Amino acid sequence: MDRFVDLSTHLVAATPGANPGNTPRLYDALAEAAGVRRAVRVDDRRVAAGTLLHDDGRRFVVIISQSEAPLTVKPVTVGGQLADLATGEPVDGVEPAPYGVRVLRLDESPSGE
């Protein structure tokens, strides 16, 4: 996981202005048309969000800012609550640093919804 975060940070930080384009909007439309329910999404095209599943079943959310300015986003999750990795405290809003990466834990609800 550390290598993934380091690589993501490097790629995003090394190419300012390269993103965001219209590609995220295309992927959003394709996912909706296919009926795909993503575990996490962010309604700001300057921010990418995805999940990682660890071998032991833990799920992590990776938030990647593609903005040169600080911003605050509220990730939308399906079937879970975001939590801080260090403290375990619930997280609603995320403030990634410019071109930064934030990794959170996704605690799934017992009902799976």
Side-chain angles (χ1 to χ4, degrees):
M1 167 103 85
D2 290 338
R3 279 185 267 149
F4 172 78
V5 172
D6 290 344
L7 177 61
S8 297
T9 302
H10 173 73
L11 292 175
V12 172
T15 55
N19 286 314
N22 288 322
T23 305
R25 291 176 56 199
L26 172 63
Y27 287 146
D28 286 344
L30 290 171
E32 184 176 329
V36 174
R37 290 180 48 187
R38 291 178 285 172
V40 64
R41 70 174 177 26
V42 176
D43 293 330
D44 186 325
R45 67 186 198 112
R46 299 170 297 172
V47 178
T51 58
L52 296 171
L53 179 61
H54 193 278
D55 289 340
D56 65 10
R58 292 178 295 160
R59 187 172 293 263
F60 298 93
V61 170
V62 180
I63 306 290
I64 304 171
S65 172
Q66 300 175 57
S67 173
E68 64 186 21
L71 45 86
T72 301
V73 294
K74 183 175 171 117
V76 177
T77 62
V78 174
Q81 169 67 49
L82 296 176
D84 185 88
L85 283 178
T87 66
E89 292 294 318
V91 172
D92 284 328
V94 179
E95 299 176 1
Y99 302 113
V101 175
R102 176 93 189 265
V103 179
L104 303 164
R105 190 177 71 224
L106 180 59
D107 294 334
E108 298 188 43
S109 65
S111 65
E113 296 191 45

